[in-house]
Amino acid sequence: MLHDGAHRADQHKDVSVPMSKIRMQDVATHAGVSVATVSRVINQKGNVSEETRTAVLAALDMLGYERPPRLSEASGTVGLLLPELTNPIFPVFYQELEREFTAAGYTTTLATQAPGALTEDEAVASLTAREVCGLVFVSGMHADSKASPERYVRLAERLPFVTINGANPRVPAPDFSTDDAESMRQAVRLLAGLGHSRIGLGIGQRRYIPGQRKEQGFGEAISQMLPGADVIVAETFFTAHGGARAAEALLARGCTAMVFGSDIMALGAIDALERRGVRVPEDVSIVGFDDSPLIRFMRPALTTLRQPVAAIAHAACATLRAAMEDFAPAQRTKAGPR
C-alpha cells in the first residue's frame, strides 16, 4: 500500500535511532569489531589496521556520531583529478579514494575535467597552488598516447603522484589499471561459448591506452577462439551516445554479440538496439565494462566486466602515501612499477 509523503516521513521518524541512544556497542556491531577496537580508534591508542579504522569511521558516520575533533586532524591534502562525473564509475573511484585517504589521516580535494571546464594542466596548477602533498590522476591525459608526457616529467620533479587506468611507460609514476586485454579475452570466451561467431567491439577513441589494450586483447581472442572470423571494431566515444553509434555500426556488420568499453556505452547500445526492434539479449548479446553500482538493478541483467575499484584505490593510496613520506625530487626520475 502506498502512503502520502507525510505518512512516510512519520514512519521514518518512528524507526530512526535517537542520537542519545547510539552507544559504542552499536558502532562496534555495525563495524563488525570489538568495543575495545572502537575505543582504540576513537582515542587513537594502540595499533589498528587501516581497514579496521575505516570500518569504524564509516560506522560512526552511518550511525550519526559526530567524530571527535582529533579524528578530523589531517596530515595533509591530496588532490584527486577525475574526468566528468556523469559516467557512474568515476564517482565510485572518487568515493573509494576519499575513503582510503581519509582513513589514513589526509583530506582530499577534487578537480574534474568536464568538457569546456578546466584543462588538466589548469586543474593541476590550481591544486598545487593549494599546496597539496600528492596527486592522483584517474583516466587523465596520461592515458592519451598522443599527449606529451613532459607535463608529468616536470611534475614528478616537485610532487609525488600516481595514475589510474592508463599505464603509460613514458609517465614517471606508478600506475594502477585493470588488465584490459585479459578482460576482452574473457568476454570473447563467454560469447563464443554461447555460440556467437560474429562478435563486435565498441570502444572510445583509439588514442587512449585502455582502448588500445582492449582492442589488442579482443583481436587476439577472436583469432584464437574463432579462427577465420572478422575482427570487427567500432571506434566512437566512451559515452551513451557513442555506444548507440557503435551498436548501429556493429549491427550493420552482422554482429550478434557486442562488447563495449564501458557500462555507459552498453546502456546506450541497448537503447539504440531496442529502438530498432532488436531484443537484448534474445537477438543480440551485450557485455559491458566497469560493473557500475546501478547496473546490478537492470532487468534483464547486463553481463559486465568488473573493475576492482576498491582494490585499485587501496593500492594507489598506499603507494602514494609511501611516496609522500619519502619524497625526494632527485629520486623521481624513472617510471615506477605498474
Side-chain angles (χ1 to χ4, degrees), residues 77 79 81 109 120-135 137 155 158-160:
T77 301
L81 290 92
T109 183
E120 181 174 291
D121 291 341
E122 291 170 338
V124 168
S126 175
L127 292 173
T128 53
R130 302 177 203 176
E131 298 185 348
V132 295
C133 51
L135 293 171
F137 294 87
L155 179 64
R158 56 193 176 92
L159 195 67

Side-chain angles (χ1 to χ4, degrees), residues 34-311:
S34 68
V35 172
T37 297
V38 174
S39 178
R40 285 197 294 272
V41 172
I42 291 176
N43 294 299
Q44 295 182 299
K45 295 181 179 179
N47 294 324
V48 179
S49 70
E50 288 184 25
E51 183 179 358
T52 299
R53 184 175 185 274
T54 300
V56 171
L57 294 179
L60 287 169
D61 295 341
M62 291 292 292
L63 294 175
Y65 259 143
E66 184 174 346
R67 297 186 193 180
R70 60 180 173 274
L71 293 182
S72 300
E73 295 175 0
S75 302
T77 301
V78 175
L80 308 178
L81 290 92
L82 284 82
E84 42 75 31
L85 300 179
T86 54
N87 185 326
I89 197 62
F90 293 129
V92 178
F93 267 111
Y94 170 71
Q95 178 176 295
E96 292 296 334
L97 288 165
E98 183 184 42
R99 190 198 313 277
E100 289 285 343
F101 283 109
T102 299
Y106 292 85
T107 59
T108 62
T109 183
L110 172 67
T112 61
Q113 300 158 53
L118 290 178
T119 66
E120 181 174 291
D121 291 341
E122 291 170 338
V124 168
S126 175
L127 292 173
T128 53
R130 302 177 203 176
E131 298 185 348
V132 295
C133 51
L135 293 171
V136 180
F137 294 87
V138 181
S139 299
M141 292 189 70
H142 64 276
D144 187 342
S145 63
K146 295 186 181 299
S148 171
E150 287 304 312
R151 56 176 52 84
Y152 297 108
V153 174
R154 292 192 300 270
L155 179 64
E157 296 173 353
R158 56 193 176 92
L159 195 67
F161 65 93
V162 298
T163 61
I164 292 175
N165 282 355
N168 189 333
R170 300 184 299 159
V171 173
D175 179 83
F176 303 88
S177 300
T178 54
D179 188 336
D180 292 292
E182 174 58 25
S183 71
M184 295 299 102
R185 287 190 283 268
Q186 291 184 19
V188 172
R189 185 179 301 114
L190 169 69
L191 294 171
L194 293 175
H196 294 283
S197 59
R198 199 159 182 82
I199 304 170
L201 171 65
I203 56 171
Q205 295 165 286
R206 284 189 171 96
R207 63 188 297 163
Y208 293 107
I209 292 171
Q212 293 174 0
R213 293 182 175 156
K214 285 182 176 68
E215 185 172 2
Q216 175 190 353
F218 178 79
E220 292 172 352
I222 292 293
S223 298
Q224 293 168 4
M225 300 174 203
L226 297 169
D230 294 333
V231 177
I232 307 171
V233 180
E235 176 190 11
T236 58
F237 297 94
F238 284 111
T239 62
H241 180 63
R245 290 176 55 188
E248 292 169 353
L250 296 175
L251 187 67
R253 296 283 303 274
C255 293
T256 61
M258 304 175 187
V259 186
F260 291 92
S262 70
D263 287 340
I264 200 74
M265 289 186 76
L267 293 180
I270 292 171
D271 180 66
L273 292 173
E274 290 183 343
R275 288 176 183 275
R276 287 173 166 264
V278 178
R279 299 170 302 167
V280 177
E282 292 85 355
D283 301 325
V284 173
S285 293
I286 299 289
V287 175
F289 184 92
D290 283 335
D291 193 22
S292 309
L294 296 179
I295 291 300
R296 69 193 65 179
F297 300 110
M298 285 189 62
R299 295 295 182 273
L302 173 68
T303 299
T304 184
L305 294 142
R306 176 178 299 164
Q307 282 207 70
V309 176

